[in-house]
Amino acid sequence: MGDRIYLDHAATTYTKPEVLEEMLPYFTENYGNPSSVHSFGREARKAMDLARERTARALHTDPGNIFFTGSGTEADNWAVKGAALANRKKGNHIITTSIEHHAVLHTCRYLERNGFEVTYLAVDKYGLVDAEQVRNAITDQTILISVMTANNEIGTIQPIREIGTIAKEKGILFHTDAVQAIGSVPIDVEEMNIDLLSLSAHKFYGPKGIGALYMRKGVKVQQILHGGAQERNRRAGTENLPAIVGLGKAIELAVQDIPGHNARLEALRDRLITGILSTVEHTRLNGHPERRLPGNVNFSFEFIEGEALLLSLDIKGIAGSSGSACTSGSLDPSHVLLAIGLPHEIAHGSLRLTLGENNTEEEVDYVLEVLPQVVQKLREMSPLFNQQKGGLEYV
């Protein structure tokens, strides 16, 4: 195959042409500041209101509960820091999981340094949190529960509805990082008893640099960006109008046909999983075999290093990502893979391939042709491979 194959959609997606087309006029023609009172400003405000309505509709809530941010990371920070600081008089205990995105984990670490207590719930070998674990971790000081809807690395989908029910029963705020879930997991914030939800446009074929926080009406969350009166006095800074318009269009498209979208991706995903498990020995599928995102494939290959695998695949025109954090300058493997019980050396040999709307059966077949050869070649260079013949259990 002459063309490159992109299998890293969990990292980011392309911006759909129809999303870009809707954005373009707000760079060059309708470029007013939404806070201005003249006609240019009113046109900008109207476009922003439409994006807010589209986002609200996708989550089954009111537009007044949607606040635009600069990223999913900002939305996570605002939700976790803001809720903790605003409710400090009620208690200082937060419950989260050991496999959250760093935007939540590092925020929790920051709060720990500032007098809060955080419980990091363990997960099972599939990366799943039990809702009863959440219930049992609650104390009279608990003010916030934050559990991601679906994991960005291994694709496991959490029991969000059950956790939301427990949080509501106990009168505790519930935040979910839904950055990886929008467009793949149907979300109704009312039915699921979600108080705060973070999302990011570039994960569902929208532009980068724009996110949103859903905040249930009446929920106390402290402001973390101070300045002007934008976003109804909750988030200062001139609104990124073209990106907001793009987010609104992208989320509208993302939730149009979730069952159809999922069925197509699941077929490709399962073809990839079955093909790899049947052709490559000493291989483990990471994440839940059924409760997983439709486009997520995550494997650990014994006796090889993830970064070498990534580079070898890149030479062959296949773009994926590693479960290892080597590329970020750290020698530690993924915290998610360690949390599901993988030893360091196996976690280092991990590969995440995430499918998107443009991927085809032919591309999957090409990966199935190339990947076993690459793994075999790397293993032949590994002294460990020649010394050990014991494999991992197949999942």
Side-chain angles (χ1 to χ4, degrees):
M1 295 191 62
D3 294 331
R4 293 180 301 165
I5 299 173
Y6 185 77
L7 292 175
D8 201 16
H9 290 86
T12 197
T13 59
Y14 66 92
T15 301
K16 285 186 173 178
E18 53 267 58
V19 172
L20 179 60
E21 187 181 348
E22 200 154 321
M23 292 171 63
L24 287 175
Y26 297 93
F27 287 105
T28 56
E29 298 162 35
N30 306 333
Y31 50 82
N33 187 321
S35 298
S36 301
V37 296
H38 48 61
S39 62
F40 287 87
R42 292 196 302 273
E43 285 168 11
R45 170 69 59 178
K46 189 177 176 183
M48 195 165 72
D49 289 345
L50 175 60
R52 208 182 301 277
E53 283 168 25
R54 285 168 159 173
T55 308
R57 207 157 37 234
L59 302 177
H60 301 275
T61 187
D62 297 323
N65 296 332
I66 303 298
F67 297 85
F68 294 115
T69 64
S71 61
T73 293
E74 185 197 329
D76 279 339
N77 271 259
W78 189 7
V80 176
K81 272 184 203 155
L85 295 171
N87 294 277
R88 198 168 196 163
K89 288 182 181 176
K90 292 182 183 176
N92 71 335
H93 182 232
I94 298 163
I95 297 169
T96 188
T97 79
S98 56
I99 62 164
E100 297 297 306
H101 190 275
H102 283 127
V104 168
L105 289 180
H106 289 173
T107 301
C108 286
R109 297 289 184 206
Y110 166 83
L111 289 170
E112 282 183 297
R113 294 193 297 271
N114 286 274
F116 288 87
E117 290 184 15
V118 182
T119 298
Y120 300 91
L121 296 175
V123 293
D124 67 13
K125 65 178 181 178
Y126 300 127
L128 199 59
V129 176
D130 184 346
E132 287 307 303
Q133 280 178 271
V134 177
R135 187 191 294 278
N136 295 336
I138 292 170
T139 73
D140 59 0
Q141 291 295 303
T142 308
I143 52 175
L144 176 67
I145 297 167
S146 181
V147 177
M148 68 196 332
T149 308
N151 186 264
N152 51 304
E153 291 191 34
I154 58 174
T156 299
I157 299 171
Q158 303 296 346
I160 295 304
R161 188 185 302 270
E162 294 85 338
I163 295 169
T165 301
I166 291 167
K168 188 179 181 183
E169 279 174 17
K170 301 287 187 180
I172 297 165
L173 291 180
F174 177 42
H175 165 251
T176 188
D177 173 345
V179 166
Q180 287 290 336
I182 300 295
S184 295
V185 180
I187 292 173
D188 185 323
V189 291
E190 297 301 328
E191 275 188 16
M192 298 166 99
N193 295 306
I194 297 167
D195 299 301
L196 298 155
L197 178 147
S198 311
L199 58 87
S200 183
H202 77 104
K203 304 294 189 179
F204 48 85
Y205 306 94
K208 296 172 181 64
I210 186 70
L213 177 65
Y214 154 76
M215 199 184 304
R216 184 186 295 280
K217 188 177 180 183
V219 167
K220 287 184 179 177
V221 177
Q222 198 171 105
Q223 189 173 348
I224 59 171
L225 282 181
H226 300 91
Q230 292 87 355
E231 290 301 279
R232 285 149 290 154
N233 281 311
R234 305 296 293 273
R235 194 254 183 196
T238 301
E239 298 90 349
N240 183 352
L241 185 62
I244 288 171
V245 168
L247 185 152
K249 181 64 175 176
I251 202 167
E252 182 179 68
L253 294 172
V255 301
Q256 263 178 6
D257 182 19
I258 291 177
H261 164 268
N262 286 1
R264 186 181 167 279
L265 283 190
E266 282 165 5
L268 293 175
R269 176 198 71 191
D270 294 345
R271 185 185 185 100
L272 198 48
I273 289 172
T274 305
I276 292 171
L277 286 178
S278 63
T279 57
V280 186
E281 292 183 335
H282 310 310
T283 300
R284 182 192 200 279
L285 175 67
N286 298 317
H288 200 283
E290 287 131 24
R291 288 183 63 109
R292 77 185 296 131
L293 291 170
N296 178 286
V297 176
N298 188 306
F299 278 106
S300 290
F301 301 98
E302 278 198 277
F303 315 117
I304 62 172
E305 204 280 314
E307 195 169 16
L309 178 58
L310 268 189
L311 294 171
S312 299
L313 288 174
D314 191 41
I315 290 166
K316 297 283 189 179
I318 299 166
S321 69
S322 176
S324 157
C326 296
T327 48
S328 64
S330 165
L331 292 176
D332 293 327
S334 151
H335 68 286
V336 175
L337 298 180
L338 295 180
I340 63 173
L342 295 193
H344 272 64
E345 64 274 14
I346 292 171
H348 267 305
S350 295
L351 173 71
R352 182 187 71 179
L353 300 175
T354 43
L355 297 143
E357 291 187 9
N358 281 353
N359 290 128
T360 64
E361 280 190 11
E362 290 75 22
E363 290 177 336
V364 168
D365 290 344
Y366 176 70
V367 174
L368 291 175
E369 178 192 329
V370 168
L371 184 61
Q373 299 169 10
V374 169
V375 170
Q376 185 61 30
K377 186 177 177 183
L378 291 172
R379 281 177 173 169
E380 284 169 3
M381 293 188 281
S382 166
L384 283 174
F385 182 61
N386 297 314
Q387 291 167 15
Q388 301 179 49
K389 297 299 177 188
L392 287 168
E393 62 173 294
Y394 289 98
V395 179

